Amino acid sequence: MSEMDGMRDDCIVLTRFARDQPGFLDFSYRIKALAKAYRVTVVSSEPLTEPELLADGVEYLVLPHDSGRKGWFKYMLACARLVRMRRPACVVLLHSLLAPVVWLTGRIPTALYWNEHPSRFTAAPPSHPLFKRMARKLALRWLFFEAARRASLVMPIGEAHQQDLLAKGCDPQRVKLIYMGVDKTFMKSGPHQSAQPQLPLRLIYVGTVSKARGRDLMLEAIKLANREQPIAHLTLVGADEEEIGHCRRYAGRLGISNAVEVCGRVAGAEIPVILKGADAGLCLWEDQPWWRFNPPTKLFEYLVAGLPVLASDIRTHTQYVSHGNNGLIFKYDSFSLGKAIHQLAKRRHELPGLKSRARESGRQYLWDRIEPVFLQAIKSLHVARQGGHSSFEDPMHLHDQTSSEIR
């Protein structure tokens, strides 16, 4: 241990990643930022092998547990035992799924990264018996929102999450809106070349490829847009083997195989280069209750990279994409998306302006701007416990930003 390490406070970061986790960059930014200021221990239920999550000087500790609800509870109990044994200066719960750990950390300052709406974890099909649905609602309230109210700090990733937490009774002084962030390499990927009039538009989708995220809808829209002549080419990045097979088969049945490329998952460092070759990015979500709160990482990455966003009409898109300014909004159906693609092709001469406005609207999401706000908020937790002055105020006033300021 170096002399500098010996002077740093300890911070334990608890994680819980799904086995089909699509991306890790927002988690990576936070782990690496904490490593600059603390002796960090990152805890996971499985070994972390993703290069984005590996940082020099960080201790990685695995507390193996099974998947499923039982494994989740056991993992949280094991994490709580570790925290109570080590008694760090602060704990960072790096997923809203870990909110119940707040009940178990005692007086140790605990910050909660509120990245997903917990209704996604507790949703029950209407066919379930009434008592089961009631039990899930109680779990949503007590395991998650009551825990959020008890946390020393809750960090929602978007305005909808922030408003929901306040409506659920969280103390405004403990709720700090901190966007997920985008690395500056997305902006440094260089200016995009304007699409040539005789070439198809280059559309890209990066993220989980699934039916619920508009997989078939995107393919059908390409079919409709290219009905008279080829005006658009779509690249899907992030599909697993099963989805790759489905997309290729479906594209074949639609007769658009030459207009679609389907790729598997890639490391986060590769995404800026991939985006550089595109003219616009796609964001599609079914209007599910939990997705009305979760802005997608890719939306901000598109904007920072200077890509206009074609986004379905759900508030976690329209909060950040202004129709005709830095993207286009469409209804969640293949016809409306096809129409939006056709509209963008007709306005090809406006692409440079759309890209410039997209890049400008994305500047506030750069992690370089957000990192000091994040670190100051974490530091304030244990400084307050040690008797020092604590405040969430910062010169950027990041938590006061509204959608009107970024449109």
Side-chain angles (χ1 to χ4, degrees), residues 185-293:
T185 55
F186 282 81
M187 181 169 276
K188 288 185 176 181
S189 58
H192 301 273
Q193 296 180 350
S194 297
Q196 298 300 315
Q198 71 276 16
L199 296 178
L201 288 170
R202 300 161 297 181
L203 307 178
I204 192 161
Y205 172 90
V206 177
T208 300
V209 177
S210 67
K211 188 177 187 302
R213 302 200 185 206
R215 175 199 65 199
D216 296 347
L217 190 152
M218 286 187 280
L219 297 173
E220 293 161 5
I222 292 295
K223 168 72 173 180
L224 293 170
N226 289 346
R227 184 166 46 192
E228 296 181 4
Q229 59 178 326
I231 64 169
H233 181 278
L234 172 64
T235 300
L236 300 171
V237 180
D240 60 25
E241 289 301 318
E242 182 179 346
E243 294 293 347
I244 289 174
H246 172 87
C247 291
R248 288 176 178 170
R249 288 191 299 271
Y250 197 38
R253 289 199 298 272
L254 294 172
I256 57 170
S257 295
N258 291 337
V260 175
E261 181 181 1
V262 189
C263 307
R265 293 176 181 170
V266 299
E270 297 179 39
I271 297 176
V273 178
I274 293 171
L275 296 185
K276 184 178 179 180
D279 292 308
L282 296 179
C283 278
L284 295 90
W285 264 352
E286 284 183 347
D287 190 13
Q288 297 287 356
W290 46 88
W291 283 334
R292 297 171 195 165
F293 297 93

Side-chain angles (χ1 to χ4, degrees), residues 160-389:
H161 273 314
Q162 180 189 38
Q163 293 161 9
D164 184 51
L165 287 164
L166 296 177
K168 295 294 194 300
C170 289
D171 183 349
Q173 297 301 315
R174 296 186 180 189
V175 177
K176 177 78 169 176
L177 170 59
I178 301 181
Y179 295 120
M180 287 179 283
V182 180
D183 191 75
K184 61 185 177 182
T185 55
F186 282 81
M187 181 169 276
K188 288 185 176 181
S189 58
H192 301 273
Q193 296 180 350
S194 297
Q196 298 300 315
Q198 71 276 16
L199 296 178
L201 288 170
R202 300 161 297 181
L203 307 178
I204 192 161
Y205 172 90
V206 177
T208 300
V209 177
S210 67
K211 188 177 187 302
R213 302 200 185 206
R215 175 199 65 199
D216 296 347
L217 190 152
M218 286 187 280
L219 297 173
E220 293 161 5
I222 292 295
K223 168 72 173 180
L224 293 170
N226 289 346
R227 184 166 46 192
E228 296 181 4
Q229 59 178 326
I231 64 169
H233 181 278
L234 172 64
T235 300
L236 300 171
V237 180
D240 60 25
E241 289 301 318
E242 182 179 346
E243 294 293 347
I244 289 174
H246 172 87
C247 291
R248 288 176 178 170
R249 288 191 299 271
Y250 197 38
R253 289 199 298 272
L254 294 172
I256 57 170
S257 295
N258 291 337
V260 175
E261 181 181 1
V262 189
C263 307
R265 293 176 181 170
V266 299
E270 297 179 39
I271 297 176
V273 178
I274 293 171
L275 296 185
K276 184 178 179 180
D279 292 308
L282 296 179
C283 278
L284 295 90
W285 264 352
E286 284 183 347
D287 190 13
Q288 297 287 356
W290 46 88
W291 283 334
R292 297 171 195 165
F293 297 93
N294 290 21
T297 310
K298 56 181 166 285
L299 186 153
F300 304 111
E301 292 173 345
Y302 293 156
L303 292 177
V304 169
L307 291 182
V309 183
L310 302 185
S312 59
D313 189 6
I314 188 171
R315 70 173 178 175
T316 39
H317 294 159
T318 57
Q319 184 87 45
Y320 313 100
V321 179
S322 176
H323 186 74
N325 180 46
N326 59 354
L328 298 176
I329 303 296
F330 59 90
K331 293 181 180 178
Y332 187 81
D333 62 70
S334 56
F335 175 81
S336 297
L337 175 54
K339 185 178 178 180
I341 294 171
H342 202 270
Q343 182 182 0
L344 187 63
K346 286 181 64 176
R347 297 171 58 183
R348 189 186 296 260
H349 63 284
E350 298 179 27
L351 265 176
L354 281 169
K355 291 180 176 181
S356 177
R357 291 191 294 273
R359 188 184 294 272
E360 187 60 33
S361 67
R363 287 183 182 276
Q364 64 184 298
Y365 308 118
L366 285 168
W367 180 247
D368 280 358
R369 292 190 59 192
I370 298 169
E371 181 183 79
V373 181
F374 168 73
L375 286 176
Q376 191 259 352
I378 299 297
K379 185 177 180 181
S380 69
L381 302 181
H382 58 90
V383 168
R385 186 175 69 164
Q386 294 165 359
H389 176 68

Side-chain angles (χ1 to χ4, degrees), residues 4-5 8-9 11 13 28-42 53-60 371 374-375:
M4 181 176 295
D5 286 337
R8 293 182 176 183
D9 290 309
C11 174
V13 178
S28 169
Y29 302 150
R30 285 155 176 77
I31 290 171
K32 292 178 179 178
L34 290 167
K36 296 176 183 179
Y38 296 91
R39 290 191 303 268
V40 173
T41 298
V42 173
L53 298 175
L54 304 180
D56 292 339
V58 172
E59 176 190 13
Y60 290 89
E371 181 183 79
F374 168 73
L375 286 176

